[in-house]
Amino acid sequence: MTSIPQPPPAGPNPLRALTLDQLRRRTSMKWRTYPPDVLPLWVAEMDVPLAGPVVHAVTEALRLGDTGYPAGTAYAEALAAFAGERWGWDGLAVERTAIVPDVMLGVVEMLRLVTGPGDPVIVNPPVYPPFYQFVEHMDRRIVEAQLGANLRIDLDVLEEAYRRAVADGGSAAHLLCSPHNPTGTVHTAEELAAVAALAERYGVRVVADEIHAPVVTASARFVPYLSVPGAERGLALMSASKGWNLAGLKAALALAGPGAADLARMPEEVGHGPSHVGVLAHTAALRDGADWLDAVLAGLDENRRLLTGLLAEHLPGVVHRAGEATFLAWLDCRALGLGDDPAEVFLRRGRVALSSGIPFGTGGAGHVRLNLAASPEVLTEAVRRMAAALD
């Protein structure tokens, strides 16, 4: 697999396209959870208009009354083409894919296929809170393998977690976040191959959540887990949801490596859960939305640089390593003396909504996650308010 050079972004920055008044007309979770005086920089929704090809696909479906059940392989074919063009990966086999309602429900179905009630699922905290919530709700138990101080996978810690997970001889899975949420870490090919080797040695099945794969900086290289040597028995979930802001149009794809026959055992009714209109939207995004995505990525790069400067000027006590992926920033606020939950302080005193680090597991206390996918003006005002909250 080779890295594919990306063209320069086309079109204006979508993150500058909408005013705050326009955004407050939205009725989604981001804009309805808190009062109007709060700047919402928490849940992973982007403040952008939809890509033109997506709008066209959805509008045309509604005009035709094409709102039935999903069918066909167009979504998988579009993802395979996108993976080849974007990541140089030609190993996404359409026949080894299945449509699922969304990435997390797909994760649940994959874990059901490879583990049983009470079995362990390894995660790498701090990590996306629903990993804990969904796994525990399905009667599996969490085993943590904390990221290292550099916010990368610590292979020694991971191996010890694998060893503990299989000590009683049962089944175990590793729910891998790639790219990593909340840190924005992009795992290297070498790191992923090392994970695959450990998984094979200990008999652990890896399920990779790759929902943020399209949202990677030009300086980094996303490597699909199923593309690395030793990952033949792996499973992965992908979606256009994060890259094109389609969380409300439900659809995702489960992918299996060439040595994994598990998808054949997935109940047929799982494929009835995705939205047909969602499948059409995701397909259009992957097939025709590359220019729009490149414009968003350029805007996010600007915002990463802006945030670095704003923190240095207004909140120098905050430790921040700019991530190579996602539109999220992981801020270490422990030096500010705000306790384990600085998000509560920033909300109460500064009227800025951030995600508390506590639900992200071990290593999350004293941290917040900030959503970068906003206009520079909103981002600037949010940091100004956060600084004022310390007075």
Side-chain angles (χ1 to χ4, degrees):
M1 187 178 74
T2 57
S3 181
I4 303 299
Q6 300 305 319
N13 181 357
L15 293 167
R16 294 178 177 268
L18 300 174
T19 67
L20 196 54
D21 286 342
Q22 288 174 310
L23 290 165
R24 291 201 184 281
R25 292 171 58 192
R26 293 183 170 181
T27 58
S28 62
M29 181 183 291
K30 181 176 183 179
W31 294 97
R32 286 294 181 266
T33 299
Y34 296 100
D37 66 322
V38 172
L39 287 180
L41 292 170
W42 63 296
V43 73
E45 298 178 24
M46 291 197 285
D47 295 349
V48 291
L50 286 185
V54 173
V55 174
H56 175 77
V58 172
T59 303
E60 183 66 7
L62 296 181
R63 188 183 70 80
L64 295 172
D66 189 9
T67 54
Y69 296 103
T73 59
Y75 189 178
E77 292 165 9
L79 179 58
F82 182 86
E85 294 166 5
R86 208 78 175 181
W87 310 317
W89 181 39
D90 60 3
L92 198 163
V94 171
E95 66 272 15
R96 294 198 305 273
T97 67
I99 299 175
V100 292
D102 59 28
V103 164
M104 280 311 303
L105 290 177
V107 163
V108 167
E109 295 300 332
M110 298 305 97
L111 291 176
R112 282 189 177 134
L113 293 177
V114 300
T115 64
D119 282 341
V121 176
I122 297 103
V123 300
N124 303 111
V127 73
Y128 185 48
F131 277 21
Y132 292 89
Q133 298 157 359
F134 279 77
V135 168
E136 291 168 351
H137 182 70
M138 62 183 298
D139 195 25
R140 272 61 170 174
R141 58 186 175 88
I142 291 286
V143 174
E144 291 189 327
Q146 189 175 355
L147 297 178
N150 59 356
L151 302 181
R152 307 198 74 87
I153 293 173
D154 185 319
L155 292 171
D156 291 334
V157 171
L158 183 63
E159 181 169 12
E160 176 56 28
Y162 279 10
R163 184 181 292 114
R164 286 187 285 117
V166 301
D168 61 0
S171 299
H174 177 189
L175 181 49
L176 175 69
C177 196
S178 179
H180 196 86
N181 174 5
T183 63
T185 302
V186 177
H187 308 306
T188 66
E190 293 74 19
E191 288 170 328
L192 293 173
V195 170
L198 284 176
E200 282 301 294
R201 184 184 312 166
Y202 288 93
V204 173
R205 299 297 300 278
V206 175
V207 178
D209 172 355
E210 298 179 328
I211 195 171
H212 285 281
V215 191
V216 173
T217 65
S219 61
R221 175 189 172 208
F222 170 72
V223 179
Y225 177 72
L226 298 183
S227 73
V228 302
E232 290 79 11
R233 293 201 312 132
L235 299 165
L237 286 304
M238 286 190 174
S239 171
S241 174
K242 294 299 183 241
W244 286 268
N245 203 42
L246 303 177
L249 289 167
K250 294 285 190 181
L253 284 165
L255 288 62
D262 308 274
L263 292 186
R265 296 184 287 110
M266 192 170 70
E268 179 187 354
E269 60 267 21
V270 174
H272 298 168
S275 160
H276 177 50
V277 176
V279 170
L280 296 174
H282 288 235
T283 302
L286 290 162
R287 187 182 57 217
D288 301 316
D291 287 346
W292 183 92
L293 176 64
D294 286 331
V296 169
L297 295 178
L300 290 173
D301 279 343
E302 293 177 13
N303 279 2
R304 289 187 188 95
R305 292 189 292 270
L306 175 63
L307 179 64
T308 297
L310 290 169
L311 292 175
E313 179 181 357
H314 299 288
L315 289 167
V318 171
V319 177
H320 168 52
R321 295 181 177 90
E324 295 179 313
T326 81
F327 47 87
L328 308 165
W330 185 238
L331 309 183
D332 182 348
C333 303
R334 288 175 291 181
L336 301 182
L338 302 179
D340 286 347
D341 192 10
E344 187 278 329
V345 178
F346 290 132
L347 176 61
R348 177 166 45 85
R349 298 182 189 171
R351 310 308 286 162
V352 177
L354 307 169
S355 295
S356 169
I358 294 173
F360 289 81
T362 300
H367 292 68
V368 299
R369 192 190 72 176
L370 180 149
N371 184 341
L372 285 163
S375 71
E377 292 76 18
V378 167
L379 189 58
T380 300
E381 173 63 11
V383 175
R384 186 197 67 76
R385 291 188 186 191
M386 290 166 65
L390 304 183
D391 296 338

